[in-house]
C-alpha cells in the first residue's frame, strides 16, 4: 500500500465525507463527489455561497473519509486551498467532464459564477484495514504532509509480565526487553495501557 494507491481507492469509493469546523467550532460534515484525482493530489468543486466554502476559506483544515467494501478506512488530513483564479475554469471543466450529473445541477456557465475548486497537494493519509487478520494500518504522505504518530508504545519500564500481550485483541505485542507493539497491527484500543502494572505503556504523539 502507498499514498497513490490510497487515492485511487478513494476514487473508486466515489462519494467521500468531508469534515470541517464552523465559526463556532462545531463539527460539520458533508458528502462530496465532485472530485478530480491526480497521482498525488485532489481537486474538488463546491459552491461559493455554501457554508462549506466559507469554512474552507476561513481555516482550510479538512478531514476526508472513505470506506471501501473491503472494510478499508482511508482518512486524509490536509489543508485545502483555492486553485488560482487563472486555473479555476480548467479544473471546473475537468471535474464537470468527469461527473456529467453536475451539469444538471449547474447548467451552462452558472458553474463558473457559482463554483470554486479547492486543491489538496499536501496531506497525511491513514489506511486502516479491518478486513484482514491481523488488522493492518499504515500512514503515508503526499507533498509536504507529515505523519502524526498515534497509539501506544512500551517503554524500558516494562517488567516483562506479559499482561499487555494477554489482553491485546490482535496479539500484536512481541515478547522482548521491553515488549514491543507491532504498530502496523495495533487497534489503538488502549488495553495494554490500561492493564500494565508497571505503567510502562505510554501514548504516542
Amino acid at each position: 500500500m502507498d499514498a497513490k494507491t490510497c487515492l485511487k481507492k478513494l476514487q473508486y469509493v466515489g462519494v467521500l465525507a468531508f469534515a470541517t469546523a464552523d465559526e463556532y467550532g462545531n463539527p460539520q460534515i458533508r458528502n462530496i463527489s465532485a472530485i478530480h484525482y491526480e497521482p498525488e493530489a485532489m481537486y474538488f468543486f463546491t459552491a461559493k455561497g455554501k457554508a462549506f466554502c466559507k469554512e474552507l476559506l476561513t481555516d482550510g483544515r479538512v478531514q476526508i473519509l472513505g470506506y471501501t467494501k473491503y472494510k478499508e478506512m482511508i482518512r486524509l488530513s490536509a489543508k485545502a486551498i483555492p486553485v488560482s483564479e487563472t486555473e479555476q475554469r480548467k479544473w471546473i471543466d475537468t471535474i464537470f467532464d468527469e461527473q456529467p450529473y453536475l451539469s444538471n445541477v449547474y447548467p451552462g456557465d452558472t458553474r463558473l459564477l457559482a463554483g470554486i475548486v479547492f486543491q489538496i497537494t499536501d496531506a497525511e493519509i491513514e489506511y486502516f484495514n479491518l478486513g484482514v487478520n491481523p488488522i493492518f494500518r499504515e500512514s503515508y504522505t503526499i507533498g509536504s504532509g507529515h505523519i502524526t504518530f498515534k497509539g501506544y508504545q512500551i517503554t524500558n519500564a516494562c517488567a516483562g509480565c506479559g499482561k499487555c500481550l494477554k489482553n491485546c485483541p490482535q496479539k500484536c505485542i512481541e515478547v522482548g526487553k521491553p515488549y514491543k507493539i507491532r504498530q502496523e497491527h495495533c487497534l489503538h484500543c488502549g488495553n495494554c495501557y490500561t492493564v500494565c502494572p508497571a505503567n510502562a505503556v505510554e501514548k504516542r504523539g
Side-chain angles (χ1 to χ4, degrees):
M1 192 62 57
D2 55 29
K4 290 181 181 179
T5 304
C6 285
L7 287 176
K8 183 62 68 174
K9 285 179 178 287
L10 289 178
Q11 185 174 4
Y12 292 148
V13 171
V15 180
L16 306 180
F18 280 60
T20 57
D22 66 17
E23 59 186 310
Y24 304 107
N26 299 315
Q28 302 293 329
I29 191 164
R30 68 280 293 162
N31 290 329
I32 303 290
S33 60
I35 307 169
H36 169 75
Y37 295 87
E38 293 288 321
E40 292 194 359
M42 176 187 291
Y43 297 80
F44 60 94
F45 173 93
T46 190
K48 298 172 186 174
K50 291 183 179 290
F52 179 44
C53 181
K54 179 181 178 181
E55 292 155 11
L56 292 173
L57 290 173
T58 300
D59 185 277
R61 287 178 298 170
V62 64
Q63 279 199 333
I64 302 166
L65 184 68
Y67 194 72
T68 78
K69 64 180 181 179
Y70 303 109
K71 312 303 181 188
E72 300 164 293
M73 184 280 292
I74 301 171
R75 179 169 55 199
L76 189 151
S77 301
K79 189 162 187 176
I81 60 173
V83 170
S84 68
E85 287 293 332
T86 57
E87 291 202 329
Q88 281 290 333
R89 176 152 200 159
K90 167 190 170 183
W91 292 111
I92 289 174
D93 288 346
T94 297
I95 291 170
F96 273 65
D97 286 345
E98 294 176 352
Q99 307 281 349
Y101 80 92
L102 289 171
S103 293
N104 296 324
V105 184
Y106 298 100
D109 284 343
T110 62
R111 70 185 71 171
L112 302 177
L113 180 63
I116 182 172
V117 173
F118 288 85
Q119 64 182 5
I120 291 174
T121 55
D122 305 304
E124 174 186 13
I125 300 175
E126 298 173 82
Y127 175 83
F128 187 28
N129 191 342
L130 288 170
V132 295
N133 186 16
I135 63 95
F136 179 79
R137 73 186 317 142
E138 206 162 47
S139 293
Y140 318 100
T141 61
I142 57 173
S144 60
H146 66 276
I147 293 174
T148 304
F149 293 104
K150 299 176 182 178
Y152 300 85
Q153 63 187 11
I154 301 172
T155 69
N156 288 330
C158 172
C161 69
K163 285 189 177 181
C164 57
L165 175 57
K166 180 181 179 181
N167 289 278
C168 176
Q170 290 294 308
K171 305 302 179 190
C172 69
I173 298 177
E174 297 178 347
V175 176
K177 295 182 179 180
Y179 278 46
K180 180 181 179 181
I181 299 171
R182 296 184 63 190
Q183 298 296 334
E184 72 273 20
H185 301 308
C186 179
L187 280 170
H188 297 176
C189 69
N191 277 7
C192 56
Y193 181 83
T194 301
V195 303
C196 179
N199 295 318
V201 181
E202 63 181 16
K203 293 182 179 181
R204 304 169 80 209

